[in-house]
């Protein structure tokens, strides 16, 4: 079956969901959310066109591609995804409000509409943890930076402390992190895959 992207509003909104979550954190007014969607589409168009075009695209070409990307998104589509962004923020807040040694509750995990293992009796529910860390990379100089990483959780959901220990172990085992040290964990969330 051929893809209907970018004519499929769900595909576009799923791709720009981080922009909607970020905007939701500062207020879910219609203006704020639509501006976040337009900015996300513009950023995507600019990056993509700079990679795929032989010559650098001009402003009009970037604006046209961004408009094409979100041209099929309706108010109803936006309302659904703004509500989902709110659900994500509530789940993340619930997760971070509980102690690292407390059992992870269902209200602390986000189930996106694109999750393929949620409510599927044929497969067990799987989860992904997303972690923002402050790290130091050692080289000729030491560079401190913040970096996001995602890991599929391979054990049952127990406590956030256990999940973060598992994520940090995977971070340390990766060859590309052999010169990196974790300073602290700044943010985290869990979602159903």
């Amino acid at each position: 079956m051929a893809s209907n992207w970018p004519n499929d509003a769900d595909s576009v909104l799923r791709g720009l969901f981080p922009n909607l979550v970020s905007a939701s954190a500062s207020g879910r007014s219609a203006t704020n959310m639509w501006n976040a969607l337009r900015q996300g589409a513009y950023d995507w168009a600019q990056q993509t066109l700079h990679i795929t075009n032989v010559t650098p695209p001009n402003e009009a070409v970037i604006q046209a591609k961004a408009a094409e990307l979100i041209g099929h998104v309706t108010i109803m589509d936006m309302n659904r995804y703004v509500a989902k962004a709110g659900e994500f923020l509530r789940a993340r807040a619930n997760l971070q409000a509980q102690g690292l040694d407390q059992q992870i509750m269902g209200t602390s995990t986000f189930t996106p509409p694109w999750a393929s293992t949620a409510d599927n009796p044929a497969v067990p529910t799987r989860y992904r943890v997303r972690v923002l860390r402050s790290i130091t990379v050692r080289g000729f100089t030491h560079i401190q930076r913040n970096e996001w990483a995602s890991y599929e959780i391979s054990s049952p959901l127990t406590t956030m402390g256990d999940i973060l220990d598992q994520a940090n172990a995977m971070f340390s085992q990766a060859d590309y992190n052999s010169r990196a040290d974790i300073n602290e964990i700044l943010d985290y969330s869990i979602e159903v895959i």
Side-chain angles (χ1 to χ4, degrees):
M1 180 176 192
S3 171
N4 193 23
W5 189 91
N7 298 328
D8 177 20
D10 282 325
S11 294
V12 171
L13 289 168
R14 186 171 46 242
L16 297 175
F17 190 69
N19 297 72
L20 298 178
V21 168
S22 181
S24 290
S26 61
R28 284 181 271 178
S29 70
T31 301
N32 189 36
M33 299 309 295
W34 281 99
N35 285 343
L37 182 69
R38 286 185 198 97
Q39 185 62 50
Y42 180 88
D43 293 344
W44 176 87
Q46 183 180 43
Q47 292 168 3
T48 302
L49 292 172
H50 275 288
I51 293 170
T52 58
N53 282 12
V54 175
T55 59
N58 62 35
E59 187 66 21
V61 170
I62 295 170
Q63 292 286 355
K65 184 54 86 175
E68 177 188 351
L69 180 67
I70 61 173
H72 295 86
V73 176
T74 67
I75 292 171
M76 298 296 287
D77 298 325
M78 275 295 281
N79 287 343
R80 283 185 299 116
Y81 277 82
V82 168
K84 287 297 174 187
E87 289 174 22
F88 171 84
L89 291 172
R90 276 189 300 282
R92 184 178 73 182
N94 291 342
L95 183 64
Q96 292 177 4
Q98 67 186 54
L100 293 178
D101 59 344
Q102 292 179 328
Q103 174 67 44
I104 297 170
M105 307 301 287
T107 57
S108 300
T109 60
F110 172 62
T111 304
W114 54 86
S116 60
T117 67
D119 302 322
N120 185 343
V123 294
T125 303
R126 294 185 358 235
Y127 300 90
R128 173 183 306 122
V129 63
R130 191 162 183 252
V131 182
L132 176 62
R133 298 180 182 97
S134 167
I135 64 171
T136 299
V137 180
R138 299 174 317 280
F140 292 114
T141 61
H142 288 198
I143 301 169
Q144 186 172 336
R145 66 178 187 227
N146 296 340
E147 188 174 277
W148 281 102
S150 296
Y151 308 93
E152 184 171 343
I153 300 169
S154 60
S155 64
L157 289 183
T158 54
T159 67
M160 198 60 218
D162 289 342
I163 299 303
L164 290 173
D165 288 345
Q166 186 182 101
N168 288 342
M170 287 187 269
F171 175 90
S172 298
Q173 291 167 0
D175 288 341
Y176 53 83
N177 288 327
S178 65
R179 303 177 113 188
D181 295 317
I182 299 170
N183 301 326
E184 65 179 314
I185 294 175
L186 304 171
D187 195 0
Y188 52 85
S189 62
I190 296 177
E191 72 177 45
V192 177
I193 298 175

